[in-house]
Amino acid sequence: MTYTFALVGNPNSGKTTMFNEITGSTQYVGNWPGVTVEKKEGKARKFKEDIEIVDLPGIYSLSPYTMEEIIARDYILDEKPDVVINIVDATNIERNLYLTTQLIELGIPVIVALNMMDVIKSREDRIDVEKLSAFLGVPVLEASASKGIGIQELVEKALEAAQSRASANSCERCKMLDDAIEQSLDKAEPFVALPARQKGYNSRWVALKLLEGDEKLQEKLKVPVTLMEDIKSFRKELEQKYDNDMETLIADNRYRFISDVVAKTVKKNNKGNILTLSDKIDKVVTNRILAIPIFLILMFAIFQVSFGALGSFTVDWLDSFINETVGGVIKAWLEAGGAAEWLRALIIDGILAGMGSMLVFVPQIMIVFFFLSLLEDSGYMARAAFIMDRILRKLGLSGKSFIPMLIGFGCSVPAVMAARTLENEKDRRLTIILTPFMSCGARLPVYALFAAAFFEQNQGVVIFSIYMLGIVIAVLSGILLKKFVLKGEVAPFVMELPPYRFPTIKGIYIHMLDRSKDFVKKAGTVIFAAAVVIWFLQSFSFSLQMVEDAGESILGFIGKAIVPAFAPLGLDDWRASVALLTGLVAKEVVVATLGILSGVGAAGEDSAELAAALQTYFTPLKAYAYMAFTLLYMPCIAAFGAIKREMNSWKWTFFTISYQTGTAWFVAFLIYQGGRLLGLE
Amino acid sequence: MSRTLKELKPGDKAVVKSITGEGAVKRRLLDMGVTKGAEVFVRKVAPLGDPIEVNIRGYELTFRKSEAENIIIE
């Protein structure tokens, strides 16, 4: 017999910690069908019964306004888990119980886990659990997920409820709504009994939701229009009686009921307004004067560690390990076995290098997500949004987008992945589209080469201007895309600032591991396939002969064929366009390709020979247009894989790279043609 | 004239009377416990002047001034 328990709770209620405690290492992270909201599943350890635990998205309410709320509600209604375990943060009980009241109404078995009881006890506050259970009409258990207390009992109780099939107490003793609303429900219930029964929903809940004007449910149940007329008349009656709309009335009622219950069951030790530790930290961290410097110092430190010494050390080490150590072993082995040259090239330069181009990102992803989990779990992330909101709102984004954008200056791959901390889907998509405009580290060698070759006196200024160009384009794109593509109602910025908490090492470890595994499994396949295809295209000619010179390869042929498209940008030499194509592997490859195609070999960015060669087919204006194009056009295939993974849609992925490449073309066009008009050529 | 939460300064306290407007913003405020009778304490304004932070129902909540304008207080 398999049982399914769903975990439901507010964000920051300790739900993820509880999930980790119950399931241990058995968890599996995926996506809910069709959306990019994470779905976590796992098995309860230490039980002989087969217990499947599903972690539903963290939500404040079951009102179907956000994607997360719709997913959670539909799952509970349609997948019918055996028991819903509602994680309630005991230190923030009033607002947490709001979701509880809605869960109870669904008429399914609910168990309340009163989490963070260790904090309540250390504060010497008291919660009368038995009384609370009596008021709510469902079992209430004390727990502390972060201390691992009460977990076993919770699962046992849920198992008991599932086995006895104790349907949820319809909560006759607790009267959440006032008489007038209850009477309307009595009248409305018979009308909806049939459609509700067909779906197996609680008819009183259906009546309440339709009375509230829930269009999502109305569509789902295909409620006849005539029937809705009757329901609407009941609603009008109530709204006139109270001179208020139905949504407000019901929310008011719920919170009144909760305030009443809390007053009777919770005894706070400190009556006065004593500052908690969290308040004290906030006095400094979100201080008017200190907040922004602290934020910037934190960001700088994270950036330095991720992309400075530690980050580049791990990347270089892994790169040489894969390509030299492992590559050397395989090469020797292939040579000893007498493998043909094309086979050796396929295995070493194609497959192994392809794997390498994906795996080198893993250490950086781990470092970045170590910091991200730290920020998220400690509660600082919400403060970052609070501090930076004003600036990013102009882009149609919220303060949380700042962090992915910043990471983008290091590497677009973890930056795109970091966009997952944004709850709103539109904000997340927009952040993913804009993040690659932040010039990543791999693009710098290209600027350094051109700046040295063409702007010797002003190298610093020129490179800085390219970085600024990326930011300006991101700002303009944000405004434009918000207006025409990702339009619609602005997501409300109504956000909880959770109390600061010590992150658990286990939580951070699981998060880091999850994201890395996810990257390798989901983005990795795309990156690997793309790397092998590009390797093939640049190593073989149409007659399938291996070529040394990329100019004679299939990719070289394509590069030459697209030269007319680049001519308006002043880039009328095929070497320039071929290098952009090979730059898709990684943008710094542009430098090496230009070296090979210019006949100076795989020279570095500081090669005077290569600079001299470039001067034969670039002018300073053309060079600047080329740098701008390199900055803006679609990111490398690794970032492409990450975008595909995070967008979870091919349509959006292609929109993103088309938008970026289109922008690159247009901006380079303006630079070149504008420069010519100004007589800069 | 009804007063809105936007007019309050850090350190001020008020009781919520109602929420104007409709759709997602209103619903979100209601869900977060900004309902009739709730006590609100304005804690601070963000360093750049917006959003604001309030204490309500024992926790810290932040929203923009444009949202505070929808909250009518007694």
Side-chain angles (χ1 to χ4, degrees), chain A residues 572-584:
Chain A
D572 44 13
D573 194 286
W574 63 272
R575 287 171 286 197
S577 47
V578 172
L580 289 175
L581 288 179
T582 59
L584 294 177

Side-chain angles (χ1 to χ4, degrees), chain A residues 499-525:
Chain A
Y500 289 100
R501 286 193 186 114
F502 259 109
T504 63
I505 293 172
K506 197 175 181 180
I508 292 179
Y509 170 76
I510 288 177
H511 193 193
M512 273 167 65
L513 215 63
D514 273 353
R515 298 315 313 271
S516 309
K517 270 198 290 194
D518 185 73
F519 172 77
V520 172
K521 267 197 273 183
K522 300 283 173 47
T525 43

Side-chain angles (χ1 to χ4, degrees), chain A residues 60-61 63 65 92 94-95 98 102 212 245 247-248 251-252 255 259 282 286-288 291-292 386-387 389-391 393 489 492-497, chain B residues 13 22-36 43-53 57-64 67:
Chain A
Y60 293 108
S61 163
S63 56
Y65 272 88
N92 185 358
E94 236 177 287
R95 205 216 40 232
Y98 180 72
Q102 296 182 331
E212 228 181 334
D245 64 283
E247 275 191 325
T248 308
D252 283 353
Y255 268 110
S259 300
D282 258 347
T286 60
N287 178 286
R288 256 203 123 100
I292 292 176
F386 175 72
I387 296 165
D389 178 67
R390 185 88 192 242
I391 296 178
R393 188 185 324 166
E489 203 175 354
F493 183 82
V494 179
M495 186 184 65
E496 178 185 7
L497 293 175
Chain B
K13 261 187 191 173
E22 52 187 29
V25 176
K26 179 177 187 173
R27 181 74 208 205
R28 181 81 165 174
L29 286 169
L30 290 172
D31 285 344
M32 298 305 273
V34 187
T35 57
K36 193 176 172 183
R43 195 175 295 274
K44 65 172 68 158
V45 177
L48 298 169
D50 200 13
I52 58 174
E53 178 184 343
R57 298 187 186 277
Y59 79 100
E60 305 297 315
L61 182 68
T62 172
F63 41 75
R64 293 173 182 161
E67 277 132 12

Side-chain angles (χ1 to χ4, degrees), chain A residues 65-135:
Chain A
Y65 272 88
T66 68
M67 193 68 82
E68 286 78 6
E69 288 168 356
I70 295 167
I71 290 167
R73 191 170 96 170
D74 284 352
Y75 180 84
I76 298 169
L77 287 174
D78 298 327
E79 304 299 322
K80 299 191 173 38
D82 295 295
V83 177
V84 167
I85 299 178
N86 176 210
I87 316 293
V88 165
D89 174 1
T91 64
N92 185 358
I93 194 164
E94 236 177 287
R95 205 216 40 232
N96 273 256
L97 284 180
Y98 180 72
L99 179 63
T100 312
T101 60
Q102 296 182 331
L103 290 170
I104 292 170
E105 268 164 8
L106 290 174
I108 39 154
V110 175
I111 289 181
V112 171
L114 209 49
N115 195 20
M116 308 204 192
M117 281 306 285
D118 54 318
V119 181
I120 293 290
K121 282 179 183 145
S122 72
R123 282 189 199 163
E124 295 181 25
D125 291 350
R126 263 173 229 288
I127 299 178
D128 189 334
V129 175
E130 265 172 47
K131 225 169 168 185
L132 184 62
S133 169
F135 278 122

Side-chain angles (χ1 to χ4, degrees), chain A residues 147-401:
Chain A
K147 298 263 183 320
I149 299 167
I151 315 279
Q152 194 80 5
E153 293 82 347
L154 182 64
V155 181
E156 271 164 21
K157 189 82 188 173
L159 199 58
E160 212 177 277
Q163 281 165 340
S164 66
R165 297 233 148 251
S167 92
N169 196 322
S170 59
C171 199
E172 275 144 22
R173 273 194 292 162
C174 54
K175 216 165 68 69
M176 294 186 200
L177 305 167
D178 70 20
D179 293 339
I181 299 175
E182 292 285 353
Q183 278 161 19
S184 289
L185 284 178
D186 289 340
K187 281 191 281 179
E189 205 179 333
F191 285 87
V192 300
L194 186 65
R197 196 165 53 233
Q198 282 168 344
K199 283 263 185 185
Y201 300 167
N202 179 300
S203 59
R204 198 159 185 92
W205 177 77
V206 171
L208 178 63
K209 283 287 135 185
L210 293 183
L211 205 58
E212 228 181 334
D214 186 327
E215 283 164 16
K216 286 257 155 38
L217 186 67
Q218 196 184 320
E219 275 166 38
K220 222 170 142 179
L221 290 174
K222 299 191 185 72
V223 184
V225 185
T226 47
L227 207 149
M228 275 316 292
E229 289 302 317
D230 291 310
I231 306 255
K232 270 183 196 155
S233 73
F234 297 143
R235 176 162 78 223
K236 275 232 170 67
E237 248 171 63
L238 280 170
E239 288 181 339
Q240 272 163 7
K241 180 175 155 68
Y242 288 101
D243 188 27
N244 216 334
D245 64 283
M246 207 57 206
E247 275 191 325
T248 308
L249 281 177
I250 291 181
D252 283 353
N253 268 278
R254 282 190 210 288
Y255 268 110
R256 201 168 50 218
F257 166 76
I258 293 164
S259 300
D260 194 42
V261 170
V262 169
K264 286 176 185 151
T265 54
V266 181
K267 294 269 173 295
K268 290 222 166 155
N269 180 27
N270 52 4
K271 298 279 184 217
N273 271 331
I274 297 169
L275 287 183
T276 62
L277 179 64
S278 206
D279 296 335
K280 284 178 196 157
I281 298 174
D282 258 347
K283 275 216 163 278
V284 179
V285 167
T286 60
N287 178 286
R288 256 203 123 100
I289 296 155
L290 295 175
I292 292 176
I294 291 175
F295 174 75
L296 293 177
I297 289 169
L298 266 176
M299 290 302 120
F300 181 77
I302 292 173
F303 195 85
Q304 277 303 313
V305 177
S306 309
F307 303 108
L310 180 64
S312 46
F313 169 76
T314 51
V315 171
D316 292 346
W317 179 82
L318 195 65
D319 191 31
S320 83
F321 176 76
I322 293 169
N323 287 312
E324 281 157 36
T325 314
V326 179
V329 170
I330 297 178
K331 201 169 168 188
W333 183 71
L334 286 172
E335 270 165 12
E341 197 199 337
W342 67 266
L343 182 64
R344 275 185 300 182
L346 172 71
I347 293 174
I348 307 276
D349 302 327
I351 295 174
L352 191 68
M355 298 263 276
S357 65
M358 164 188 98
L359 290 176
V360 288
F361 290 100
V362 172
Q364 229 157 36
I365 288 171
M366 294 190 77
I367 299 172
V368 167
F369 278 93
F370 169 78
F371 287 118
L372 282 180
S373 335
L374 207 61
L375 294 179
E376 190 95 57
D377 296 353
S378 66
Y380 185 76
M381 195 67 107
R383 271 76 183 181
F386 175 72
I387 296 165
M388 299 310 288
D389 178 67
R390 185 88 192 242
I391 296 178
L392 285 138
R393 188 185 324 166
K394 294 204 170 64
L395 300 174
L397 289 172
S398 84
K400 282 195 179 177
S401 305

